[in-house]
Amino acid sequence: MKPLEFSLNGERVVAEGVDPTETLLSFLRRRGMTGTKEGCAEGECGACAVVLREDDGAGGSRYVTINSCLLRSEEHTSELQSHSFISYAVF
């Protein structure tokens, strides 16, 4: 599997050797970002929510909340590589 490259809290991340079934939640917590929690592990409670920044096509940004417990690297490699993630979001 190709290395995943994305921005995390403004810092470029190159993740090699990531288990394709590992969730974004697990990846963040392994990096010491323990503010994002696992609650229900089904995407219902929001404890695992992180913010995804996308380009809006007009030179600005659009922010979307995603459940990191549901996002696996094998399923979303292209999505991970074209976005920025912001952990520790406050809602």
Side-chain angles (χ1 to χ4, degrees), residues 6 8 20-30 33-52 64-73 75-76 80 85-89 91:
F6 56 94
L8 177 60
T21 62
E22 182 175 22
T23 63
L24 178 59
L25 171 65
S26 176
F27 177 81
L28 292 173
R29 292 187 61 82
R30 274 194 309 109
M33 298 180 174
T34 57
T36 304
K37 309 280 190 229
E38 182 174 328
C40 66
E42 295 179 355
E44 294 292 324
C45 72
C48 66
V50 296
V51 176
L52 175 80
V64 180
T65 304
I66 62 168
N67 294 320
S68 63
C69 72
L70 301 178
L71 190 69
R72 298 186 188 282
S73 61
E75 299 165 347
H76 300 283
L80 286 170
F85 293 95
I86 303 169
S87 187
Y88 298 110
F91 298 99

